[in-house]
Amino acid sequence: PSQMGSPTQTRYYRAVVKSGACATLNSSPAAVEVHTPSTAPTGISGTASICRGSSTTLTANGGALGTGASYQWGTGSTVGSNVIAGQTGPSITVSPTSTTTYWVRIVSQGPCGSTVGRTRTVTVSQPTVAGTVSSSQTICGGSEPSALTLSGHTGSVLRWEYSSGSTFPGVTTISSTSTTLTPSQMGSPTQTRYYRAVVKSGACATL
């Protein structure tokens, strides 16, 4: 090997043979085919938080394909496991139903082998469910109402709101992220008010 060096392109080698006073002949050649190695991706880009039922496109950044190489995608934290069949390009569109880690690497069937892989986790949120506020009540004007409680919801409370109409024609915000709205937060209304909680689940819609 030290006599052959480290060729960067395909080379053909032969021996030149001579027997005494006879003619000089060349041996049959042997080829040393040189494959260009791949460069590993530097990362994966794409939306990392989605609502269940939606999709996101993941793209391998950086890197370069060597001779006869292609991209390989899979799932799980271990690169090389759970290969996604047929996905050999730099991008992949996925619609996971739960939080999933994806990986990508460049593979070659030749002597250069595979590159190291990169991973990205896509966090999946369950769709927002607004829930129900209980309970409606009748009070004497100027007195404190009883606490209101949100139940049956999916997501986090962003704030509470109240209005003078059930269609919320004008909204006043109450800065509370609790599922219970206390009497002191509601004040002592002098006219009928309607209260509601504003809820959001991860990357899903606000309701």
Side-chain angles (χ1 to χ4, degrees):
S2 61
Q3 293 173 314
M4 298 167 68
S6 300
T8 57
Q9 59 183 6
T10 299
R11 286 181 180 174
Y12 295 88
Y13 293 85
R14 67 183 181 187
V16 180
V17 181
K18 181 176 175 60
S19 175
C22 300
T24 300
L25 299 176
N26 299 321
S27 69
S28 59
V32 175
E33 184 178 351
V34 177
H35 286 194
T36 302
S38 299
T39 318
T42 56
I44 300 174
S45 62
T47 303
S49 296
I50 64 171
C51 187
R52 182 173 180 174
S54 58
S55 62
T56 182
T57 298
L58 303 178
T59 300
N61 297 327
L65 296 178
T67 304
S70 60
Y71 291 90
Q72 185 181 67
W73 292 86
T75 60
S77 57
T78 301
V79 175
S81 64
N82 305 314
V83 174
I84 302 173
Q87 298 296 330
T88 58
S91 296
I92 183 174
T93 299
V94 295
S95 302
T97 57
S98 60
T99 298
T100 302
T101 297
Y102 293 88
W103 56 261
V104 66
R105 65 180 176 178
I106 296 176
V107 296
S108 173
Q109 300 302 317
C112 297
S114 304
T115 68
V116 297
R118 306 298 177 192
T119 63
R120 187 172 181 85
T121 299
V122 177
T123 301
V124 179
S125 301
Q126 299 304 306
T128 306
V129 176
T132 302
V133 175
S134 60
S135 60
S136 295
Q137 53 196 279
T138 301
I139 63 171
C140 184
S143 61
E144 278 191 344
S146 299
L148 297 176
T149 301
L150 176 69
S151 61
H153 62 289
T154 299
S156 301
V157 175
L158 300 181
R159 62 186 180 275
W160 287 78
E161 298 174 343
Y162 72 83
S163 178
S164 59
S166 60
T167 59
F168 285 77
V171 173
T172 299
T173 297
I174 301 173
S175 297
S176 173
T177 57
S178 172
T179 57
T180 299
L181 195 63
T182 65
S184 62
Q185 291 172 315
M186 297 166 68
S188 300
T190 57
Q191 60 181 4
T192 299
R193 286 181 181 175
Y194 294 84
Y195 294 85
R196 68 184 181 188
V198 178
V199 181
K200 181 177 174 62
S201 175
C204 301
T206 301
L207 299 177

